[in-house]
Amino acid sequence: MRARVLVRPKEGILDPQGEAVERALPALGFEGVSDVRIGRMVELEIDDPAQLEEISGKLLANPLVEDFEVQLLDEPAQ
Amino acid sequence: MRARVLVRPKEGILDPQGEAVERALPALGFEGVSDVRIGRMVELEIDDPAQLEEISGKLLANPLVEDFEVQLLDEPAQ
């Protein structure tokens, strides 16, 4: 089945990419954006979704500084 | 409101990060994973969600090689 893993910096961990985006927005004319956090998204096909937690913690995220969230996606209509 | 933008490589565009993850999995004992694609996830607070499409196309994604998807997230309970 298709699944998605969202990986984001833990709360309190510095996110320089997010800060850079937040600082760039007003210069492009966009106001009213705050608390920008940038992480990774991994999408994959997996036979056994029960493995996803372990795969995420071992290979996709660094649990010291990142949290992850597993989402199971609906199969596309055949 | 809180919003999330998912940025992924367009279909047909090479994704070396995804290929590296896919190749690493069997060595860690995980079989049955395929079609791994790695993108970015941006989460932010925005006053005017109508700006999100333009912000995503101008600053968060490179429309030449990436697609993006905007998700509006529920406000957390106060």
Side-chain angles (χ1 to χ4, degrees):
Chain A
M1 85 177 309
R2 195 86 188 145
R4 177 187 292 149
V5 181
L6 300 178
V7 181
R8 50 173 76 80
K10 271 187 204 283
E11 216 163 315
I13 296 285
L14 211 65
D15 177 10
Q17 275 190 90
E19 287 176 18
V21 165
E22 199 166 325
R23 273 199 304 269
L25 283 165
L28 292 171
F30 300 106
E31 305 286 344
V33 178
S34 61
D35 197 10
V36 180
R37 304 285 283 172
I38 299 191
R40 289 190 303 288
M41 173 192 64
V42 183
E43 290 177 331
L44 45 75
E45 276 296 319
I46 186 161
D47 291 343
D48 177 9
Q51 295 184 314
L52 269 172
E53 290 280 331
E54 198 181 348
I55 289 175
S56 299
K58 282 193 176 168
L59 189 64
L60 305 182
N62 175 351
L64 281 178
V65 293
E66 294 171 327
D67 289 322
F68 63 86
E69 174 186 342
V70 169
Q71 298 179 334
L72 300 183
L73 307 177
D74 290 339
E75 298 276 344
Q78 300 287 330
Chain B
M1 84 178 307
R2 194 86 189 147
R4 177 188 294 150
V5 181
L6 301 178
V7 180
R8 51 173 76 81
K10 272 187 203 283
E11 215 163 316
I13 296 285
L14 211 65
D15 176 10
Q17 274 190 91
E19 286 176 20
V21 165
E22 200 165 322
R23 273 199 304 268
L25 283 166
L28 292 172
F30 300 106
E31 305 286 344
V33 178
S34 61
D35 197 12
V36 181
R37 305 285 282 172
I38 299 191
R40 290 191 301 289
M41 173 191 63
V42 183
E43 290 178 330
L44 46 76
E45 277 296 319
I46 187 162
D47 292 343
D48 177 9
Q51 294 184 316
L52 269 173
E53 291 279 331
E54 197 181 350
I55 288 174
S56 300
K58 282 192 175 168
L59 189 64
L60 305 182
N62 175 352
L64 281 177
V65 292
E66 293 171 326
D67 288 323
F68 63 86
E69 174 185 342
V70 170
Q71 298 179 334
L72 300 182
L73 307 178
D74 289 339
E75 298 276 344
Q78 298 288 330

